[in-house]
Amino acid sequence: MSGALIVVALLALARAGLPEVATGPIAALVITAVVAGVHRGRLPGFHDLIDIVRGADRR
């Protein structure tokens, strides 16, 4: 389920015409949101999302 939603979201992101620099961080946020929503996990907080965008791991 989450795989199909992620593929659809990434296809929509590719067709949106955003700059290439913006698609990576947005894709990471979309994947995180879809996986957390489908698996009913804890949604990441603001600082977690910033770390995701920067590629850091705070654990």
Side-chain angles (χ1 to χ4, degrees):
M1 179 69 167
S2 61
L5 289 174
I6 289 171
V7 169
V8 169
L10 292 179
L11 287 173
L13 181 63
R15 301 195 92 211
L18 295 171
E20 189 173 329
V21 175
T23 55
I26 293 173
L29 294 175
V30 166
I31 291 169
T32 302
V34 167
V35 170
V38 167
H39 297 289
R40 302 187 197 276
R42 183 184 74 84
L43 289 175
F46 176 73
H47 295 292
D48 296 327
L49 293 176
I50 296 297
D51 287 342
I52 289 169
V53 171
R54 291 183 181 162
D57 188 13
R58 291 178 32 174
R59 294 181 208 171

